[in-house]
C-alpha cells in the first residue's frame, strides 16, 4: 500500500525533480555534523597504588569542575568528557598513545611522579597535544617544552621559599636533606643544595637517600648524629607516607631541630599518618587558601556536598586546572588560535585559589606559600597569628 | 482572476528546474575546483626540488671544505660571519615531522605524526591509514637496511612492501613494548629501541620474519633478545630507550636516565661492559633529543644546550669520564633547545626550536632564510649527498619539510 503510494508519487516527478533528490541528500549530509559534539580531555593519574589518595582527590576536583562546566552548557555548547587512565594499572606510554591517537583528546591533564610526567610530556610534545599538570611539581617539567604547562607552583619556587624561611626564621646554617630516589630523586636534592648556597647555608653532606618500599629510616637518620657536621634542620623531599614515617622516627631518635618538607607534608595523608608528630612541621602550600575568597568557600561547600569531606589542596588544584582549560578553549574559539597558543597567552588569571599565570615557559608564576602545621591543619605563615 | 492549474504546474517545474540546475552546477564546480587545487599543490611541490637544485648549483661558492679540520674548540674569529642568510626551499606541507631518511635510490622518507611521506622524482606521496597504505596512526622513526624500509611508531614496527604499502610486522617481532622510539640497522643486526628496552634481531631472523615466520618465545633460539635494566644488571640505567646508534664497536643508547654505551666486544649482561652518563650525576638535562659522532667525540643535543663528551671514543676503554663540554646561547647558538643534529664533512648541523645553526671551523653560525621568514621549530635535520656534488640538508618542522643547499652556506 505504502510502496504503491511512493511509486505513484515518484511517477509524478519529472527528471529534474528526480535529479534534485540526490543533490539535496548530499547537501543535507554535508550540512549536518553527525559527529558527537564532545570535547575529550585525557586524564592520566596513579589512581590505585602508592599515590592513589592524592591522585583520587585531584581527580575529584577535576570531575567537580567538569560537572559545573557541563551544567552551564559545556564549552562552546560542547559537552566535556573525561577519558581517565590509571597509570598504575595500564602501560603508561600505550595509554597516552591511545588517548592521543584513538580518543583524539584535545588535551592531557595529570602526571604525578616526575617519570610519569616525563612520559606524558615526551609523547604529547611530539604529537603537539597540550599537556597540563596541576600536581607534579618536579622542577624539570615545563622548563623547555612548548606544549607543556603547569598550574601548580614548582619545586624550584618551593625550595627557594623553604630555604629562605629556614635561614631567616631558624637561622639554619646547615640543613640535612633526605630524599626518595623515585618521586624527587637525587637531582631535586642537588637543586635544593644549590638554592641553599644562595642563603649562605651549607648542606650537610652526604645527602640521605632511600629506595621505594623502605619503612625503617633509622639507618639513614642515624647519620644526622654520626657526623661532625651537626645539621641544624632537616629537609624531607619524599612522598607523604614516607615523610610521615621519617618525621616520626627522627623525633623518636631525639632530633629536636626544625623539620621542613615540600608540599607533600601539606597533604591530609601526611598529617593523618604523622599524627601528633606533624605539629610544627614547616611545609609549602601551592596556594594561600584565603586568596580565593568567597569563590574558594563556595568550592569547599560544593566539594563537601558532593563527596562528603573537606577538599584538600590536590582537589583545589585539579578544579583550578580544569577551569583554566575551559577558559583556554573559549579563548581558542573567540580568537581563532590554537589551544596551545590560548594557554600560552594566560599570563594572569583569577581562580578559586587566587591569582596565577603562566610564565613564558608555561610554568606557574604564583609564589609558594610557607605554612606551618598546627592542630592538624597547614596554616600559612602569614595567617599564623590568627590561630 | 482564475488560477490556471496547468500554468501553475509549469511555473512550479520552472522553479524546480532552476534550483536543481544551480545545485548541480555548484556541486560540479566544487568538485572540479577541489581536484584542480589538489593537483596544482602537488605540482608546485614537485617543481621545487629540481628548480632549487639548478639555482643553487649556479650560486655555489668555490670555498673548499677543509677535510682535515676537526672541531675541537671554538674561536672568536670575528672575520667569519656569525649569521648566514641563504635561500630555503619552499615548504612541502606534511604533518609534524619525526624522522627523515634518504635511501640509496635518493628517495626521501619522512616519518610524521600522521604516517609516512615519500619524495621521489620530485613527487610527494603519502602513506597513511586514511589511504590504506600505512598500518598505524603515527610514525616515529625510519631505517633503511639496504633492502627494506623499516618504520617504527607508537603502535609497533612496519616494513615497506613492493606493492607500495607498508605492512605491520609487530606480531612477528615480539617486541618488549610496541612503543618504538628508534630503529638501527648496523649491517648485521636490526636494533629496536622501545619503551621497555632494546630488542635486537640477526639478519637471518629478519629474513624469516619477512617470510612470514611467526616466532614464539618458547625456545631460547626464538626468544627476542632484549637489553634492559634487568637483563644488563643495571648496566643500561633505564629501559625507556629513545635513541640508538652504533659507533665502531660501541652501541650508544639514550634513555630516561641519560646515556649508556656498551662495548659490543663484551657481554651486555655484565654491567662493567657499559659506560654511563647519569642525568642526576652530570650536567646533562633530560631528555637527550639527539646524538651524533664527529669521528672523535660523541655530541648530545639536550633542551638546555649542546654537550660534547670530553673523552674521545677511542679512549673510552682506558679513561672514560662523564665530563662534558657544554655550548649554549652564550656561545652563539640560536637556542639552547637542540632538537636534532647531523654531522657531515666536518660540520655539525643543528636544528633548534629557534631555527638552524652549524658548527664549522670552530665557529657557531646561525643559518636564516633569505626571505626573512621567522625561524620555525626544527624537529629533524638530515643530510642528502647528491651525485651532482650538491649536498642538501633536509629540515623537518611542525608543518612540513624543506631543504637548503649546504654549499650555499659556504
Amino acid at each position: 500500500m505504502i510502496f504503491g503510494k511512493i511509486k505513484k508519487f515518484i511517477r509524478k516527478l519529472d527528471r529534474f525533480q528526480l535529479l534534485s533528490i540526490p543533490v539535496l541528500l548530499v547537501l543535507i549530509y554535508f550540512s549536518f555534523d553527525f559527529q558527537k559534539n564532545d570535547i575529550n580531555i585525557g586524564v592520566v593519574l596513579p589512581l590505585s597504588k602508592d599515590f592513589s589518595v592524592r591522585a583520587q582527590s585531584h581527580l575529584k576536583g577535576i570531575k567537580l569542575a567538569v560537572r559545573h562546566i557541563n551544567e552551564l552548557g559545556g564549552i562552546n555548547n560542547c559537552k566535556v568528557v573525561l577519558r581517565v587512565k590509571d597509570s598504575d594499572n595500564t602501560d603508561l606510554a600505550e595509554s597516552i598513545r591511545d588517548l592521543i591517537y584513538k580518543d583524539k583528546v584535545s588535551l592531557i591533564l595529570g602526571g604525578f611522579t616526575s617519570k610519569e610526567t616525563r612520559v606524558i610530556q615526551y609523547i604529547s610534545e611530539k604529537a603537539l597535544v597540550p599537556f597540563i599538570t596541576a600536581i607534579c611539581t618536579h622542577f624539570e617539567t615545563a622548563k623547555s617544552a612548548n606544549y607543556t604547562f603547569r598550574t601548580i607552583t614548582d619545586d624550584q619556587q618551593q625550595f627557594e621559599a623553604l630555604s629562605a624561611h629556614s635561614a631567616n626564621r631558624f637561622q639554619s646554617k646547615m640543613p640535612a636533606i633526605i630524599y626518595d630516589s623515585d618521586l624527587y630523586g637525587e637531582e631535586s636534592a642537588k637543586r635544593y643544595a644549590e638554592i641553599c648556597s644562595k642563603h649562605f647555608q651549607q648542606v650537610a653532606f652526604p645527602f640521605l637517600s632511600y629506595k621505594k618500599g623502605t619503612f625503617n629510616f633509622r639507618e639513614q637518620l642515624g647519620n644526622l648524629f654520626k657526623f661532625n657536621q651537626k645539621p641544624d634542620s632537616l629537609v624531607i623531599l619524599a612522598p607523604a607516607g614516607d615523610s610521615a614515617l621519617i618525621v616520626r622516627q627522627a623525633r623518636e631518635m631525639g632530633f629536636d631541630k626544625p623539620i621542613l618538607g615540600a608540599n607533600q607534608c601539606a597533604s591530609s595523608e601526611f598529617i593523618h599518618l604523622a599524627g601528633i608528630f606533624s605539629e610544627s612541621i614547616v611545609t609549602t602550600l601551592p596556594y594561600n587558601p584565603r586568596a580565593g575568597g568567597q569563590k574558594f568557600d563556595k568550592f569547599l561547600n560544593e566539594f563537601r556536598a558532593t563527596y562528603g569531606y573537606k577538599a584538600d589542596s590536590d582537589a583545589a588544584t585539579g578544579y583550578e586546572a580544569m577551569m583554566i582549560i575551559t577558559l583556554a578553549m573559549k579563548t581558542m574559539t573567540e580568537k581563532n588560535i590554537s589551544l596551545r597558543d590560548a594557554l600560552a597567552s594566560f599570563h594572569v588569571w583569577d581562580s578559586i585559589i587566587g591569582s596565577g599565570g603562566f610564565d613564558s615557559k608555561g610554568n606557574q608564576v604564583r609564589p609558594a606559600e610557607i605554612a606551618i602545621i598546627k592542630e592538624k591543619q597547614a596554616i600559612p605563615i602569614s595567617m599564623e597569628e590568627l590561630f | 482572476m482564475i488560477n490556471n492549474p496547468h500554468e501553475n504546474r509549469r511555473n512550479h517545474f520552472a522553479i524546480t528546474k532552476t534550483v536543481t540546475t544551480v545545485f548541480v552546477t555548484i556541486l560540479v564546480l566544487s568538485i572540479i575546483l577541489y581536484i584542480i587545487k589538489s593537483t596544482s599543490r602537488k605540482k608546485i611541490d614537485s617543481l621545487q626540488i629540481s628548480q632549487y637544485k639548478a639555482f643553487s648549483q649556479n650560486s655555489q661558492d668555490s670555498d673548499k671544505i677543509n677535510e682535515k679540520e676537526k672541531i675541537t674548540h671554538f674561536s672568536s674569529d670575528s672575520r667569519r660571519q656569525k649569521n648566514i642568510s641563504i635561500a630555503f626551499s619552499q615548504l612541502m606541507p606534511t604533518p609534524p615531522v619525526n624522522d627523515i631518511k634518504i635511501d640509496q635510490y635518493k628517495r626521501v622518507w619522512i616519518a610524521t605524526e600522521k604516517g609516512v611521506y615519500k619524495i621521489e622524482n620530485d613527487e610527494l606521496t603519502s602513506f597513511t591509514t586514511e589511504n590504506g597504505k600505512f598500518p598505524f596512526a603515527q610514525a616515529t622513526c625510519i631505517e633503511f637496511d639496504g633492502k627494506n624500509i623499516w618504520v617504527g611508531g607508537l603502535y609497533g614496527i612496519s616494513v615497506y612492501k613492493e606493492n607500495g604499502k607498508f605492512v605491520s610486522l609487530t606480531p612477528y617481532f615480539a617486541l618488549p613494548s610496541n612503543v618504538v622510539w628508534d630503529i638501527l640497522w648496523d649491517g648485521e643486526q636490526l636494533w629496536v629501541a622501545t619503551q621497555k628496552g632494546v630488542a635486537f634481531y640477526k639478519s637471518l631472523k629478519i629474513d624469516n620474519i619477512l617470510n612470514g615466520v611467526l616466532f614464539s618465545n618458547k625456545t631460547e633460539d626464538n626468544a627476542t633478545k632484549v637489553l634492559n635494566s634487568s637483563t644488563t644488571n643495571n648496566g643500561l640505567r633505564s629501559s625507556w630507550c629513545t635513541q640508538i646508534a652504533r659507533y665502531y664497536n660501541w652501541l650508544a643508547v639514550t634513555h630516561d636516565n641519560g646515556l649508556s654505551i656498551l662495548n659490543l666486544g663484551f657481554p651486555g649482561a655484565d654491567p662493567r661492559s657499559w659506560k654511563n652518563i647519569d642525568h642526576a650525576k652530570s650536567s646533562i638535562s633530560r631528555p637527550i633529543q639527539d646524538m651524533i659522532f664527529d669521528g672523535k667525540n660523541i655530541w648530545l643535543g639536550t633542551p638546555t644546550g649542546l654537550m660534547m663528551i670530553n673523552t674521545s671514543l677511542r679512549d673510552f676503554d682506558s679513561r672514560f669520564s662523564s665530563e662534558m663540554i657544554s655550548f649554549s646561547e652564550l656561545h652563539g647558538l640560536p637556542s639552547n633547545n637542540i632538537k636534532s643534529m647531523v654531522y657531515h664533512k666536518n660540520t655539525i648541523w643543528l636544528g633548534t626550536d629557534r631555527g638552524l645553526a652549524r658548527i664549522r671551523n670552530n665557529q657557531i653560525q646561525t643559518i636564516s632564510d633569505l626571505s626573512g621568514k621567522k625561524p620555525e621549530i626544527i624537529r629533524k635535520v638530515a643530510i642528502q649527498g647528491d651525485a651532482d656534488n650538491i649536498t642538501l640538508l633536509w629540515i623537518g618542522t611542525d608543518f612540513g619539510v624543506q631543504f637548503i643547499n649546504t654549499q650555499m652556506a659556504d
Side-chain angles (χ1 to χ4, degrees), chain A residues 37 39 41 69-70 72-80 322-323 325-333:
Chain A
N37 281 332
I39 293 173
I41 305 281
I69 295 158
N70 286 339
L72 292 167
I75 303 169
N76 305 321
N77 294 323
C78 296
K79 204 176 136 195
V80 176
M322 195 58 231
M323 287 302 179
I325 293 165
T326 310
L327 273 178
M329 285 187 166
K330 287 192 170 174
T331 310
M332 176 182 84
T333 315

Side-chain angles (χ1 to χ4, degrees), chain B residues 181-253:
Chain B
W181 291 114
D182 201 7
I183 304 174
L184 168 75
W185 172 255
D186 67 356
E188 297 162 13
Q189 293 177 110
L190 193 75
W191 302 83
V192 184
T194 76
Q195 191 73 20
K196 289 180 182 167
V198 176
F200 54 101
Y201 307 85
K202 294 227 180 255
S203 55
L204 181 66
K205 189 166 177 176
I206 297 292
D207 289 341
N208 284 331
I209 288 170
L210 288 167
N211 291 329
V213 178
L214 189 63
F215 283 92
S216 68
N217 284 345
K218 283 173 189 166
T219 63
E220 204 181 314
D221 286 345
N222 284 343
T224 302
K225 291 182 176 64
V226 180
L227 298 172
N228 59 32
S229 313
S230 62
T231 60
T232 61
N233 295 303
N234 210 31
L236 181 66
R237 292 287 158 83
S238 168
S239 296
W240 172 17
C241 302
T242 50
Q243 280 180 81
I244 188 160
R246 185 166 173 180
Y247 309 126
Y248 304 120
N249 206 32
W250 295 92
L251 182 81
V253 185

Side-chain angles (χ1 to χ4, degrees), chain B residues 234-286:
Chain B
N234 210 31
L236 181 66
R237 292 287 158 83
S238 168
S239 296
W240 172 17
C241 302
T242 50
Q243 280 180 81
I244 188 160
R246 185 166 173 180
Y247 309 126
Y248 304 120
N249 206 32
W250 295 92
L251 182 81
V253 185
T254 64
H255 49 70
D256 189 39
N257 278 0
L259 174 72
S260 295
I261 307 151
L262 169 69
N263 186 336
L264 288 167
F266 296 94
D270 184 351
R272 288 171 299 181
S273 313
W274 294 82
K275 308 288 176 197
N276 273 290
I277 296 179
D278 282 342
H279 154 74
K281 291 185 172 66
S282 67
S283 52
I284 205 168
S285 63
R286 284 190 280 218

Side-chain angles (χ1 to χ4, degrees), chain B residues 332-334 348-352 355-359 364-367 378:
Chain B
L333 289 174
I348 294 174
W349 294 90
L350 304 161
T352 77
L356 189 67
R358 73 171 184 179
I359 299 173
I364 297 174
Q365 292 166 315
T366 55
I367 316 287
I378 295 175

